[in-house]
Amino acid sequence: RVAAWPLRSRSMFLDCLQFSVGECRDIAVPCNVLWDTVTDIDSYPTIFSLVHSIERYDTRRVSPDGEKGSGPTGRIKVGAKWRLTRISQVENKQYGADVTVTAMSEQPDRYSITASMENLLGSTCMHTQIIEPVGEKNRDGSFSSCRYTIIMAMVPHGLFVNLWGTLFCRVCIKKRVYSVLEQDIEDVALYCGESKSFREKQVIKDFVKT
């Protein structure tokens, strides 16, 4: 029999496994426009090229082709829950996670939303999106641009670590997550800009899914 780890040893082990990955970008849209975009989870399959579908636990569902089921509508709030299904960039397969909004803040100079994700890539995660104004103010005191930051804090599950090793988990997962964050920020920027390249990307995405 293997003796149970002392509490301190287990705490040190978890501290060793924890890591965060972040990415940011300045986007030429006002903060409120970007905030409306990232809090509209029903539109995630359209906004994000690596999101296959969203299934809200209030019975509302949005499929990849944009068809919506019955159920409550409206923006998300603290306590909102949904099932997120993503497309892996590596294996071109789908993987999912349950998402719960744990905190939201809407201030004139800072918007933020934090959500917990269970069993995402073999990890427990905290996903935070932050929107802040950047650049010079307009004559009316508003800003035309904002900085969009995404931070993913992760703790790989013990079984996953036992199979692959601590160092491999950290390196492998961090690389994959960083790539996903880069793509998510790019998708948001393109969506808010209504660019031609975004519409072309959606055509490719729909073709891959079929």
Side-chain angles (χ1 to χ4, degrees):
R1 295 179 60 183
V2 179
W5 286 8
L7 181 61
R8 183 177 179 183
S9 297
R10 282 182 287 178
S11 177
M12 291 174 63
F13 180 70
L14 290 176
D15 289 343
C16 179
L17 293 179
Q18 290 180 346
F19 63 86
S20 297
V21 181
E23 177 68 357
C24 70
R25 174 173 170 174
D26 292 352
I27 301 176
V29 295
C31 289
N32 65 305
V33 173
L34 188 55
W35 179 248
D36 287 344
T37 300
V38 301
T39 55
D40 182 13
I41 65 165
D42 289 335
S43 297
Y44 274 20
T46 300
I47 298 170
F48 297 102
S49 58
L50 297 178
V51 172
H52 178 269
S53 61
I54 292 289
E55 183 177 357
R56 293 181 64 162
Y57 289 135
D58 53 16
T59 73
R60 182 176 177 81
R61 179 177 176 81
V62 180
S63 62
D65 57 10
E67 294 183 358
K68 301 179 180 180
S70 60
T73 60
R75 300 286 173 176
I76 57 175
K77 58 184 180 180
V78 174
K81 298 181 180 180
W82 63 90
R83 180 71 177 177
L84 169 68
T85 301
R86 279 185 168 273
I87 303 170
S88 169
Q89 293 174 301
V90 179
E91 300 92 356
N92 196 28
K93 296 181 180 179
Q94 297 177 16
Y95 62 94
D98 290 332
V99 183
T100 303
V101 176
T102 57
M104 293 181 69
S105 175
E106 297 183 57
Q107 303 296 329
D109 59 347
R110 192 177 191 271
Y111 297 75
S112 67
I113 177 171
T114 299
S116 64
M117 297 184 179
E118 295 295 330
N119 198 27
L120 179 68
L121 294 176
S123 306
T124 298
C125 313
M126 293 298 292
H127 182 270
T128 301
Q129 301 177 78
I130 303 170
I131 301 170
E132 301 169 297
V134 294
E136 297 182 358
K137 287 185 178 182
N138 300 319
R139 291 183 177 180
D140 61 0
S142 63
F143 290 86
S144 299
S145 298
C146 62
R147 177 161 297 153
Y148 181 39
T149 303
I150 306 178
I151 302 171
M152 181 77 85
M154 308 184 71
V155 181
H157 292 168
L159 177 60
F160 192 77
V161 175
N162 290 338
L163 289 174
W164 297 104
T166 303
L167 180 60
F168 178 82
C169 283
R170 287 174 64 94
V171 174
C172 180
I173 297 178
K174 285 180 73 172
K175 183 176 180 180
R176 292 186 63 173
V177 172
Y178 183 76
S179 178
V180 170
L181 297 188
E182 280 190 315
Q183 186 60 59
D184 282 354
I185 289 181
E186 176 70 12
D187 289 339
V188 168
L190 291 173
Y191 181 83
C192 290
E194 294 288 336
S195 69
K196 179 181 178 181
S197 59
F198 174 78
R199 292 192 294 271
E200 291 174 346
K201 182 182 292 186
Q202 287 302 112
V203 172
I204 295 174
K205 171 186 173 184
D206 294 338
F207 176 78
V208 171
K209 288 179 180 178
T210 58

